[in-house]
């Protein structure tokens, strides 16, 4: 072993900088936070060379006195906290006093600043952590910082940067996050010589926020997002979220803020996905801009050098508040699909479905459905489809149930409906901890490779919580000894269990996604199959159960369980002047 020796200062500082400054976007994030902490109302950002050449940010905040300009670059120098306890009432983004120090260690940085009320501005230039020049500068408002040649002295880090377009997308994301969390601040963002976004400042609560959300996510999103709100136990949630029918293939449209800080937080993410669970198909994701406000004392923001993570004090019911806020907004906006015509060549035109929507002829969302009909979703009460006077007319192809619903036509996909009913009951039982299970008379043997059995046994507890008891039986056989009682009608428990195991094996089943899949899979297998003849009594029971669902209008995979043509619509389709008089 060679002798121990302390690292030279400049090596140590570059290593330390590595924690805070991972890529150009980290520089931008820190500088934006500083500008916001300085009370800036207008911030201009300019990027060149995907942030490798130049990151320039000019703010109109409080500025720095000449003697503070150099101090700001010292390690652990901050104007924001004095003692550890200050973290519990933190109102600024910064507190570690190491961002400028870190950036300066791995770049060539210039700061020009003038303190409010002072005449003189001061300029400091630092290269790789060493003072290069400092002198008086022509007066200008606020602070301007230019970071050039990022990672010029840490080539290893420079090598790890991704393609220009990837780095640029990270940079843009950082600006978006700052813009979303600070609607009262005006931002411009130029990259490679072009203005990419311009956000004008607006104040005034929800309207301002919605306007900002729309200008960040795009006007079309902004118009359609639902607003979810809830206050409970010291926590406040305010979110703009996709309606249940407009989900996306990517997760990229999700922004979560805790006390205005952009964060990645597992609990919040899981809570979001829980709220969408009844509506979400596989690989469909909501757009979400969510602001959570929590008392600073209930929050640990000092978990990670980049402050990307926060921890909540145990007992802070974040999951609950977020799920409830979103679920409520989603359900309120939910309605049953209506049959609407689509345009020529199978291309969806606008929905002219319900009587209400028809007059306005508003284009509304059209789900994929075989031509010549598509399904559209007007807004309204979630249970408008249900009536005590449903009259059962029969079954089509032993697959669809047909009802006279107060003069209109209601079609139900019996398989999809049954799936949804089981799915919701099963979830409710699991969540309330009141899952009923049944012991199998004979254990059900399932053959699997050793690795598969290992993996399943590693998830034994989780499976047990889901109502399945398994045990190893020989090297390559697994015995299922118990299943959820809810599924007593399952035709083929073996196949059901196989699919569940498949699912456990192919996912990190801790994720909400995987659990959703597994549950949907089980419900699907256990559901009545299409092609079952149903008696009138069974058909009615099915509708009743569907009505008791949180959302009975779509199956766990997001397909509709029902279609409707109401009496007005029938009349319209037949070219009648109006629906026939009631009881006439
Ligand atoms: P922190 O933000 O954690 O305090 P930084 O290294 O980011 O640490 O900044 C050090 C100090 O420099 C800040 O506490 C602040 O006083 C000052 N400062 C940095 N940027 C600005 C700015 N744009 N306007 C005014 N003061 C600034
Ligand atoms: Mg800072």
């Amino acid at each position: 072993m060679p002798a121990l020796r302390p690292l030279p200062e400049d090596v140590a500082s570059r290593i330390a900088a590595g924690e805070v400054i991972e890529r150009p976007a980290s520089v931008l994030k820190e500088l934006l936070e500083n500008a916001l902490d300085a009370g800036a109302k207008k911030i201009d950002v300019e990027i060149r060379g995907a942030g490798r050449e130049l990151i320039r940010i000019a703010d109109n905040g409080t500025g720095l006195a000449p003697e503070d300009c150099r101090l700001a670059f010292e390690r652990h120098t901050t104007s924001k906290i004095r003692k550890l306890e200050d973290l519990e009432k933190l109102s600024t983004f910064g507190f570690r006093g190491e961002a400028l120090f870190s950036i300066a260690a791995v770049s060539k940085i210039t700061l020009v600043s003038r303190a409010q009320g002072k005449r003189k501005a001061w300029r400091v230039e630092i290269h790789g952590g060493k003072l290069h020049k400092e002198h008086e500068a022509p007066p200008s408002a606020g602070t301007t910082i230019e970071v050039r040649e990022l990672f010029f002295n840490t080539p290893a880090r420079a090598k790890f940067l991704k393609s220009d377009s990837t780095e640029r997308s990270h940079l843009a994301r950082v600006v978006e996050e700052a813009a979303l969390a600070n609607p009262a601040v005006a931002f411009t963002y130029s990259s490679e010589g072009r203005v990419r976004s311009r956000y004008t400042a607006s104040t005034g609560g929800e309207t301002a926020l919605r306007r900002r959300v729309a200008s960040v996510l795009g006007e079309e999103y902004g118009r359609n997002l639902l607003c979810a709100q809830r206050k409970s136990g010291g926590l406040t949630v305010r979110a703009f979220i996709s309606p249940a029918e407009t989900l996306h293939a990517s997760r990229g449209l999700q922004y979560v803020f805790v006390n205005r800080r952009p964060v990645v937080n597992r609990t919040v993410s899981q809570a979001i996905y829980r709220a969408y669970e009844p509506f979400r198909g596989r690989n469909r994701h909501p757009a979400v801009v969510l602001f959570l406000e929590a008392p600073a004392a209930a929050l640990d923001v000092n978990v990670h050098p980049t402050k990307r993570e926060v921890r909540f004090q145990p007992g802070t019911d974040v999951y609950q508040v977020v799920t409830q806020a979103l679920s409520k907004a989603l359900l309120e906006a939910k309605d049953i699909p209506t049959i609407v015509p689509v345009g020529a060549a199978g291309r969806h035109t606008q929905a002219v479905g319900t009587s209400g929507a028809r007059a306005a002829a508003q284009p509304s969302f059209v789900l994929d459905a075989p031509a010549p009909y598509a399904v559209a979703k007007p807004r309204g009460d979630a249970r408008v489809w249900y009536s005590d006077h449903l009259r059962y007319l029969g079954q089509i192809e032993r697959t669809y149930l047909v009802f006279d619903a107060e003069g209109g036509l209601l079609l139900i996909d019996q398989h999809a409906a049954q799936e949804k009913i089981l799915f919701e009951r099963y979830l409710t039982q699991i969540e309330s901890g009141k899952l009923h299970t049944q012991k199998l008379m004979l254990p059900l043997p399932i053959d699997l490779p050793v690795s598969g059995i290992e993996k399943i046994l590693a998830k034994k507890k989780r499976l047990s919580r889901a109502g399945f008891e398994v045990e190893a039986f020989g090297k390559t056989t697994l015995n299922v000894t118990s299943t959820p009682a809810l599924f007593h009608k399952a035709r083929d428990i073996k196949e059901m269990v196989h699919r569940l195991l498949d699912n456990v094996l192919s996912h990190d089943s801790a994720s909400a996604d995987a659990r959703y899949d597994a549950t949907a899979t089980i419900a699907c297998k256990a559901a009545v199959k299409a092609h079952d003849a149903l008696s009138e009594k069974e058909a009615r029971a099915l509708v009743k159960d569907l009505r008791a669902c949180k959302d009975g209008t779509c199956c766990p995979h997001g397909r509709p369980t029902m279609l409707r043509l109401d009496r007005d619509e029938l009349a319209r389709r037949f070219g009648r002047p109006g629906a026939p008089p009631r009881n006439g």
Side-chain angles (χ1 to χ4, degrees):
M1 269 275 220
L4 287 162
R5 240 175 264 141
L7 285 172
E9 185 100 33
D10 63 321
V11 178
S13 67
R14 275 181 279 166
I15 291 176
E19 277 200 325
V20 188
I21 307 302
E22 187 193 342
R23 55 169 20 130
S26 344
V27 173
L28 184 56
K29 176 176 185 284
E30 294 296 338
L31 297 182
L32 279 171
E33 290 186 353
N34 281 347
L36 291 164
D37 282 345
K41 287 287 161 260
K42 183 176 182 314
I43 301 178
D44 299 315
V45 178
E46 191 191 328
I47 300 295
R48 261 188 267 139
R52 299 168 219 247
E53 266 172 54
L54 174 74
I55 298 170
R56 182 177 191 278
I57 148 159
D59 70 57
N60 66 353
T62 53
L64 285 162
E67 62 277 15
D68 286 339
C69 286
R70 267 201 61 194
L71 268 183
F73 290 96
E74 302 275 315
R75 190 163 198 197
H76 306 311
T77 319
T78 179
S79 56
K80 298 168 194 174
I81 62 169
R82 288 280 169 265
K83 48 188 195 307
L84 192 64
E85 295 76 60
D86 291 348
L87 277 183
E88 287 185 12
K89 42 184 195 313
L90 192 68
S91 60
T92 54
F93 291 111
F95 56 86
R96 300 173 62 100
E98 58 184 2
L100 287 184
F101 165 82
S102 302
I103 298 167
V106 294
S107 72
K108 299 178 180 171
I109 186 169
T110 312
L111 171 144
V112 179
S113 192
R114 181 171 65 93
Q116 244 164 26
K118 295 273 159 56
R119 284 211 11 244
K120 284 186 190 161
W122 197 252
R123 183 177 189 280
V124 176
E125 194 172 337
I126 295 178
H127 292 181
K130 298 209 170 59
L131 183 66
H132 184 70
K133 274 193 249 176
E134 69 175 321
H135 48 82
E136 201 183 320
S140 58
T143 304
T144 299
I145 293 185
E146 291 183 358
V147 177
R148 294 173 195 277
E149 296 180 54
L150 183 62
F151 301 133
F152 79 98
N153 55 353
T154 49
R157 181 49 65 90
K159 265 210 306 257
F160 273 95
L161 292 183
K162 299 271 170 52
S163 69
D164 279 6
S165 58
T166 303
E167 294 304 333
R168 274 198 290 267
S169 86
H170 284 286
L171 286 159
R173 172 95 189 185
V174 166
V175 177
E176 287 162 11
E177 287 170 344
L180 286 170
N182 302 280
V185 178
F187 293 85
T188 59
Y189 176 57
S190 328
S191 168
E192 321 300 352
R194 267 184 49 204
V195 177
R196 310 280 158 164
S197 31
R198 195 187 297 280
Y199 305 121
T200 50
S202 59
T203 47
E206 187 186 319
T207 331
L209 194 53
R210 181 180 279 278
R211 206 174 302 142
R212 181 55 66 87
V213 169
S215 56
V216 172
L217 295 193
E219 294 301 328
E220 208 183 313
Y221 281 117
R223 234 197 339 267
N224 295 324
L225 294 178
L226 309 171
C227 183
Q229 244 163 323
R230 189 173 170 80
K231 254 186 207 189
S232 163
L235 301 173
T236 306
V237 175
R238 175 191 275 181
F240 293 92
I241 62 172
S242 291
E245 343 52 72
T246 33
L247 303 184
H248 313 279
S250 117
R251 279 174 192 273
L253 291 168
Q254 294 173 9
Y255 301 79
V256 173
F257 301 85
V258 175
N259 292 358
R260 285 172 56 236
R261 220 179 261 288
V263 297
V264 177
N265 183 275
R266 212 179 135 94
T267 306
V268 175
S269 296
Q270 287 184 340
I272 292 171
Y273 277 88
R274 174 66 188 96
Y276 278 93
E277 219 159 74
F279 317 109
R280 202 170 71 90
R282 257 188 108 149
N283 302 327
R284 309 300 287 164
H285 304 279
V288 173
V289 179
L290 185 145
F291 300 93
L292 180 67
E293 302 297 327
L299 208 61
D300 186 355
V301 288
N302 190 22
V303 186
H304 193 265
T306 65
K307 300 168 280 173
R308 261 281 168 201
E309 290 169 30
V310 291
R311 256 199 310 246
F312 297 99
Q313 211 176 50
T316 313
D317 219 343
V318 172
Y319 183 87
Q320 195 79 350
V321 186
V322 171
T323 306
Q324 285 172 353
L326 271 58
S327 293
K328 182 158 176 283
L330 287 170
L331 283 175
E332 277 174 2
K334 190 81 182 154
D335 184 40
I336 171 205
T338 299
I339 302 173
V340 298
V342 293
R347 290 216 19 222
H348 308 316
T349 54
Q350 54 185 199
V352 287
T354 59
S355 41
R358 184 172 62 224
Q362 282 277 357
S364 68
F365 184 73
V366 181
L367 288 169
D368 271 341
Y373 291 117
V375 181
K377 289 198 55 300
R379 304 219 158 159
D381 172 3
R383 280 173 185 61
V384 287
W385 58 273
Y386 185 81
S387 141
D388 280 322
H389 306 294
L390 283 181
R391 195 156 63 87
Y392 181 59
L393 299 177
Q395 214 179 1
I396 302 178
E397 297 203 312
R398 295 185 168 191
T399 299
Y400 307 113
L401 308 176
V402 188
F403 292 90
D404 163 359
E406 297 198 312
L409 185 67
L410 180 69
L411 292 169
I412 293 190
D413 179 329
Q414 62 190 52
H415 177 65
Q418 183 73 40
E419 244 182 69
K420 186 49 171 272
I421 294 162
L422 281 174
F423 177 76
E424 282 206 12
R425 283 191 189 158
Y426 184 41
L427 268 191
T428 312
Q429 285 195 6
I430 292 179
E431 281 182 356
S432 64
K434 293 193 195 111
L435 185 65
H436 304 293
T437 57
Q438 62 179 0
K439 238 184 153 46
L440 299 180
M441 299 252 277
L442 287 175
L444 185 75
I446 295 178
D447 288 333
L448 284 172
V450 180
S451 60
I453 291 184
E454 293 284 343
K455 280 189 191 156
I456 301 271
L457 290 178
K459 316 257 169 171
K460 203 170 142 79
K461 267 211 184 120
R462 178 161 286 138
L463 283 171
S464 165
R465 250 178 279 140
F468 292 87
E469 297 295 345
V470 296
E471 56 192 40
F473 182 70
K475 268 211 172 82
T476 55
T477 307
L478 194 75
N479 269 348
V480 179
T481 56
S482 187
T483 64
L486 206 51
F487 302 130
H488 62 280
K489 266 198 198 151
R491 287 285 161 74
D492 188 347
I493 293 185
K494 190 158 183 161
E495 224 234 310
M496 185 169 112
V497 170
H498 249 300
R499 291 196 39 187
L500 173 71
L501 297 189
D502 253 9
N503 215 289
V504 174
L505 290 181
S506 59
H507 289 82
D508 160 24
S509 60
S511 79
D513 246 352
R515 261 182 296 146
Y516 181 91
D517 281 350
T519 314
T521 300
I522 296 169
C524 175
K525 278 322 285 183
V528 218
K529 302 232 169 66
H531 312 304
D532 276 355
L534 287 196
S535 69
E536 169 162 5
K537 208 170 143 211
E538 290 170 306
R540 286 185 168 284
L542 191 72
V543 172
K544 240 186 158 165
D545 290 345
L546 203 54
R547 184 197 187 194
C549 282
K550 261 199 235 157
D551 177 13
T553 63
C554 66
C555 84
H557 304 96
R559 279 181 284 111
T561 55
M562 58 178 71
L563 299 175
R564 182 184 63 159
L565 269 178
D566 67 23
R567 57 201 300 274
D568 291 334
E569 184 60 22
L570 275 176
R572 203 184 66 80
R573 299 279 175 103
F574 284 112
R576 284 169 167 268
R582 297 249 177 200
N583 311 321

